[in-house]
Amino acid sequence: MRKRITSRQEILENCQDLVSEKGLNALDIRTVAAACHVSVGSIYNHFESKDDLVYGVLNHAWGKIFDLADSSQDKPTSFLDYLEWLFSSLAQKKAEGAEFFNLYSLGLAYKNPQLGRDLFARHTGPLKEDLKKAWEEDGKFGKFYEKKESDKKIDFLFTSLIGALLTESISKEDFMALASKYIEIVQ
């Protein structure tokens, strides 16, 4: 028999396992309670509603996927090298938790789209900031644009990177070739 799960953290970890095994539809209070070997009331002690549970699971999973702090010592300093490192690092994290990476759209389409956007931005914001820093510090083009214009370019490249990873429609090499061409065109 599995151990009783009683903490919020343990519930979230168990929910990730449930989604991996049975899909997102398994995230209802009764199923989670049964999987955790606790009462329905125990789940409600940690989550106000199913919606709170769903967003809690997405927040937890996205935190694991988009936290690249453990790889920070390997970050390159040139912009294109950093962009390639970011693509590789996120591709690896996606491989470890693909179902949650792909649930990006759920967070934006579920009952509170603004909350989904805010949660996603909380986890991807530091990555975008590091990308902006690499852009600004790269002597090739960092000083040629107003901050507002370079922010738009970074947003475009970051969104394109996330889209490429979500759809698996392009290899890292092809993405980098497109990013290089884009940078060449906008300079």
Side-chain angles (χ1 to χ4, degrees):
M1 181 174 188
R2 287 197 280 181
K3 159 186 151 187
R4 268 177 90 87
I5 296 173
T6 56
S7 76
R8 180 179 175 93
Q9 181 72 20
E10 290 173 315
I11 293 168
L12 291 171
E13 291 291 332
N14 200 49
C15 285
Q16 282 191 248
D17 293 343
L18 274 172
V19 171
S20 295
E21 294 168 14
K22 299 180 181 180
L24 191 62
N25 292 333
L27 278 187
D28 67 72
I29 301 295
R30 290 193 186 288
T31 304
V32 170
C36 294
H37 305 290
V38 297
S39 69
V40 168
S42 294
I43 302 300
Y44 280 114
N45 285 336
H46 298 283
F47 301 93
E48 293 178 10
S49 64
K50 176 183 176 181
D51 297 346
D52 188 31
L53 177 66
V54 168
Y55 282 113
V57 170
L58 289 173
N59 185 48
H60 180 71
W62 287 344
K64 290 167 106 180
I65 291 168
F66 295 109
D67 179 11
L68 301 178
D70 56 338
S71 305
S72 62
Q73 67 274 20
D74 300 324
K75 290 180 187 176
T77 54
S78 82
F79 178 75
L80 286 173
D81 289 344
Y82 182 83
L83 189 64
E84 184 173 8
W85 172 87
L86 186 58
F87 189 105
S88 295
S89 297
L90 288 176
Q92 180 179 347
K93 291 280 191 154
K94 181 184 179 194
E96 297 166 6
E99 62 280 346
F100 290 99
F101 194 95
N102 293 339
L103 289 178
Y104 159 73
S105 58
L106 172 70
L108 303 183
Y110 200 61
K111 296 183 180 182
N112 186 343
Q114 186 59 51
L115 177 58
R117 279 190 292 277
D118 291 347
L119 287 175
F120 196 75
R122 180 185 317 151
H123 295 294
T124 59
L127 300 177
K128 283 174 68 173
E129 287 305 313
D130 285 349
L131 197 56
K132 288 176 185 179
K133 184 178 176 185
W135 175 277
E136 291 165 1
E137 290 178 357
D138 193 317
K140 294 178 188 166
F141 40 77
K143 296 179 175 69
F144 294 116
Y145 298 104
E146 295 177 28
K147 182 160 178 47
K148 184 177 178 181
E149 288 303 308
S150 36
D151 286 354
K152 288 179 185 177
K153 290 167 181 52
I154 298 300
D155 287 341
F156 173 76
L157 288 167
F158 186 79
T159 302
S160 298
L161 185 148
I162 296 294
L165 290 170
L166 280 169
T167 61
E168 297 179 1
S169 58
I170 188 170
S171 69
K172 176 180 70 174
E173 293 75 21
D174 289 344
F175 175 79
M176 291 308 301
L178 285 171
S180 296
K181 193 60 146 171
Y182 171 74
I183 291 167
E184 182 182 310
I185 291 169
V186 298
Q187 277 190 334

